[in-house]
Amino acid sequence: KNQVEQSPQSLIILEGKNCTLQCNYTVSPFSNLRWYKQDTGRGPVSLTIMTFSENTKSNGRYTATLDADTKQSSLHITASQLSDSASYICVVSDRGSTLGRLYFGRGTQLTVWP
Amino acid sequence: EADIYQTPRYLVIGTGKKITLECSQTMGHDKMYWYQQDPGMELHLIHYSYGVNSTEKGDLSSESTVSRIRTEHFPLTLESARPSHTSQYLCASSGIVTRGPGLAGGETQYFGPGTRLLVL
């Protein structure tokens, strides 16, 4: 069964600290993996997208890694800011259809305290 | 910033009423999607469209219906709302994007702000 599991479910950190969010998936075949940021009451916004051959991708203070062999990805946030408080969703796409079906994780709820 | 809009943002309505959730995008994307998301849970695809006059059911069974008469417009309708329909509904569209910071060439989905529906 194709699944995307994220951990931790929730995380509280102090402003300025770093943190790492995890994503494990069983989706096969694999096309790409995206990390989205979803602010409360808003739609998800794409942060990074990685294909099979890419190991790391950065977008400002966000760095995503991908290990396609172990089917694991992580999102590292450096020097956290209050505005980083949001749900971070891991999304994996398969190659099984022209639609490029997406499998969503439940997200990690990050809270950054001052 | 994605140009995809949803109205209303919040809706409180009584059981049995007919409602239509609006979604429009100005990016010229062919593919559009409707997702349902409950608090703390993953997004579930309920409808999608490849283009004008194309609509398909998603993974999660839904009593809602959709239409795609124009490329930019993908409304979702509930003929008779029930409390079990209370949820957040997210509309998305996708198309080819150019390379940019943190993004790779290829198709990605852009989401609207969502409609929070409460059926009493």
Side-chain angles (χ1 to χ4, degrees):
Chain A
K1 181 180 179 183
N2 289 322
Q3 285 185 312
V4 177
E5 301 286 343
Q6 292 187 243
S7 62
Q9 184 176 356
S10 62
L11 181 63
I12 300 174
I13 62 173
L14 294 178
E15 185 179 15
K17 298 297 185 182
N18 304 336
C19 67
T20 300
L21 315 180
Q22 300 291 342
C23 173
N24 297 335
Y25 62 92
T26 60
V27 176
S28 182
F30 172 85
S31 176
N32 56 64
L33 184 147
R34 299 173 173 86
W35 282 94
Y36 280 88
K37 177 186 179 186
Q38 185 176 21
D39 293 313
T40 301
R42 309 288 296 180
V45 175
S46 179
L47 294 175
T48 65
I49 178 172
M50 288 184 293
T51 58
F52 184 87
S53 60
E54 296 175 298
N55 300 118
T56 185
K57 184 69 66 72
S58 291
N59 179 5
R61 293 180 297 103
Y62 300 104
T63 300
T65 65
L66 173 65
D67 186 334
D69 292 331
T70 62
K71 297 187 177 181
Q72 295 179 325
S73 176
S74 66
L75 180 69
H76 186 75
I77 303 175
T78 303
S80 61
Q81 300 176 358
L82 299 180
S83 59
D84 292 333
S85 295
S87 178
Y88 291 84
I89 303 172
C90 177
V91 184
V92 180
S93 176
D94 68 11
R95 295 192 299 251
S97 70
T98 57
L99 184 64
R101 178 174 170 170
L102 301 182
Y103 297 86
F104 290 80
R106 293 188 176 185
T108 291
Q109 183 64 48
L110 175 66
T111 304
V112 181
W113 282 4
Chain B
E1 189 76 18
D3 295 318
I4 180 165
Y5 309 98
Q6 290 186 243
T7 58
R9 292 293 313 280
Y10 304 92
L11 180 62
V12 181
I13 201 163
T15 296
K17 300 294 185 182
K18 177 181 179 179
I19 60 171
T20 296
L21 308 184
E22 301 288 349
C23 175
S24 60
Q25 50 95 6
T26 58
M27 296 174 282
H29 289 163
D30 287 330
K31 296 177 185 174
M32 295 190 73
Y33 316 79
W34 275 103
Y35 291 90
Q36 185 173 340
Q37 184 183 31
D38 293 320
M41 302 296 287
E42 64 266 49
L43 280 73
H44 291 285
L45 182 67
I46 53 176
H47 298 283
Y48 60 95
S49 168
Y50 288 115
V52 171
N53 294 325
S54 154
T55 61
E56 302 286 345
K57 293 276 189 186
D59 306 318
L60 183 66
S61 176
S62 174
E63 294 166 348
S64 58
T65 59
V66 292
S67 62
R68 190 85 183 278
I69 299 173
R70 304 199 317 263
T71 298
E72 63 272 19
H73 197 212
F74 192 39
L76 180 146
T77 299
L78 275 167
E79 290 292 332
S80 180
R82 295 207 301 268
S84 60
H85 296 139
T86 294
S87 188
Q88 175 168 249
Y89 293 84
L90 290 161
C91 179
S93 70
S94 67
I96 300 297
V97 297
T98 56
R99 289 188 176 272
L103 296 176
E107 199 163 303
T108 194
Q109 291 191 357
Y110 294 90
F111 286 85
T115 294
R116 287 185 179 270
L117 173 65
L118 173 61
V119 183
L120 301 175

